[in-house]
Amino acid sequence: MPPDLLVHLVEPATWRAALSDGVLRPPSLESVGFVHLSPPDQVHVPAQALFPGRRDLVLLVVDPARLRDPVRFEPGQPADPAGRLFPHLYGPLPTRAVIAVVPYRPPAPVVLPAPDDALGRALALYTSLPLRRAVGIGDVPGGVAVLDPDLPLSHDNNRLLLTAPVDAATVDAAAEEVGGNAGWPQRAALLAWPDAGAVAGELAARGWRTEELVLMARRGDRPVRGSGTRAEVVDQREVHDLWARSWRQGLAFLGDRLDPAVAQLVGRERLNDRVVAVTDVVVRDAGRVVAAGQLRIDGATAAVESVLTDPAARGRGYGDAVLTRILELAADAGCDLVVLEAAADDWPRHWYARRGFEAVGSTWSADRPA
């Protein structure tokens, strides 16, 4: 772990509220005048003292260089071992100083990315967000299973989320056990460790459908090409019709399950704004939403999601307008890194590359029928 990082242990709902305010102001700021921080190897002390037995918390990974107010290393509680000092931030914690948000589920090891580690920060976002929005979480070899019985047809909400290497047989067995007990209509997993492609290939040989997802990143302070003035921020409900049309086209093979699947995919999107700050951006043509995209902000890291244009409106620069507005909003929020996922074998990854995004790594999505 980078030695110059600090962490703060917090409940996910408290962090979400801080994202709206731009700063985190825990009760200690008023009662004792500072925010309790910890070096990574000391976070177990406040965890045991303040949240004994809790496994639903998150660690805010703080870059001290981004803090405006002084940090002083001072003694903790009298019960702490003699000579141990803790960093105290004498002012609120700016959300833009938080470079990653990582689940804290002891005794599972914690991996903290450095500020300049674009891949590590992207993985932190894409593997922690599903845990924070999940209805249920269970430990499995190599990671966790996330569950949401209200959205059984959404793979993103009901799958194994694996961040440590395991073999294909282990993935298959864990998915069968969890999915069978939970009544999943499919078995699904995300393989999110380096060089997971070999295991993805083994799963394909076992009848799984696999897809490589390229993680791409762009510095938030890079100049934005073009103008986002044609794009506007809207209530998410205004995007539902465009989403539904797009998913209906892509999921027509589901047959009788198409209608409930589309309803669940549209409905699940509201869950993201409960754990990260979500902004939906659209372009209209003759009053109708014909292009849209979503910005998700998690401290200093932002993600671009669901950029799409109605097929009849393509070729008019609407997608560019949406992406430009999203990048402008991310920069305004103080995000120094913007990330996204793109299918390795599809054209959008090249579209994003021409707009300044670079591939930094990949994950593998895998699923099969129950």
Side-chain angles (χ1 to χ4, degrees):
M1 296 179 184
D4 54 347
L5 291 178
L6 300 175
V7 296
H8 179 76
L9 192 63
V10 69
E11 293 180 323
T14 302
W15 171 240
R16 176 60 186 91
L19 287 171
S20 294
D21 297 337
V23 294
L24 178 69
R25 298 179 181 272
S28 66
L29 189 58
E30 182 174 350
S31 62
V32 295
F34 57 76
V35 178
H36 290 276
L37 302 176
S38 300
D41 61 352
Q42 291 185 0
V43 72
H44 64 282
V45 175
Q48 293 169 359
L50 301 175
F51 304 103
R54 294 278 296 272
R55 303 186 73 214
D56 60 338
L57 306 170
V58 292
L59 286 177
L60 307 183
V61 185
V62 179
D63 179 5
R66 307 180 190 211
L67 297 174
R68 299 187 297 264
D69 295 302
V71 175
R72 300 173 186 147
F73 280 76
E74 300 170 325
Q77 297 298 318
D80 293 337
R84 176 176 286 176
L85 300 179
F86 287 86
H88 296 155
L89 170 62
Y90 280 83
L93 174 59
T95 57
R96 64 178 60 193
V98 176
I99 56 114
V101 180
V102 179
Y104 184 70
R105 292 178 56 79
V110 175
V111 178
L112 307 182
D116 60 352
D117 180 6
L119 175 58
R121 290 173 62 179
L123 286 172
L125 177 58
Y126 286 118
T127 59
S128 74
L129 190 153
L131 270 72
R132 285 182 267 163
R133 72 186 179 202
V135 172
I137 303 172
D139 294 318
V140 297
V144 298
V146 293
L147 305 96
D148 189 334
D150 294 328
L151 302 167
L153 297 176
S154 171
H155 294 192
D156 285 353
N157 297 77
N158 296 277
R159 63 176 171 177
L160 307 185
L161 193 62
L162 307 177
T163 54
V166 290
D167 58 32
T170 300
V171 177
D172 207 4
E176 188 60 34
E177 179 180 2
V178 174
N181 291 335
W184 289 352
Q186 74 285 320
R187 306 293 183 254
L190 179 70
L191 314 182
W193 68 83
D195 303 318
V199 173
E202 295 170 9
L203 287 172
R206 288 170 169 262
W208 289 65
R209 181 181 60 179
T210 62
E211 180 181 39
E212 183 182 8
L213 301 174
V214 177
L215 299 177
M216 307 185 76
R218 186 185 194 277
R219 283 177 46 187
D221 61 354
R222 287 189 58 180
V224 178
R225 190 181 85 174
S227 170
T229 56
R230 284 195 295 179
E232 60 182 292
V233 174
V234 299
D235 183 284
Q236 188 175 101
R237 288 171 293 186
E238 296 199 43
V239 196
H240 286 181
D241 182 62
L242 179 62
W243 284 344
R245 297 199 309 270
S246 176
W247 277 318
R248 283 185 178 281
Q249 183 178 25
L251 300 175
F253 63 89
L254 289 176
D256 292 342
R257 292 196 298 172
L258 177 61
D259 287 343
V262 170
Q264 289 181 31
L265 292 177
V266 171
R268 75 182 180 185
E269 292 300 313
R270 73 186 187 282
L271 301 177
N272 296 310
D273 192 54
R274 297 180 183 178
V275 292
V276 296
V278 172
T279 302
D280 289 281
V281 174
V282 306
V283 170
R284 302 179 194 272
D285 188 350
R288 187 187 191 205
V289 172
V290 294
Q294 188 174 93
L295 170 66
R296 299 177 185 174
I297 292 178
D298 203 18
T301 306
V304 178
E305 298 286 341
S306 306
V307 175
L308 73 154
T309 302
D310 190 298
R314 289 176 182 167
R316 305 176 192 175
Y318 294 160
D320 269 310
V322 166
L323 180 61
T324 298
R325 184 66 182 276
I326 286 174
L327 294 175
E328 291 170 347
L329 292 170
D332 291 344
C335 299
D336 72 313
L337 183 70
V338 183
V339 300
L340 58 85
E341 294 176 314
D345 60 355
D346 205 356
W347 65 266
R349 66 171 292 193
H350 305 293
W351 186 83
Y352 287 116
R354 293 193 296 272
R355 285 149 182 83
F357 286 86
E358 299 179 355
V360 295
S362 63
T363 61
W364 286 83
S365 176
D367 65 84
R368 66 169 174 83

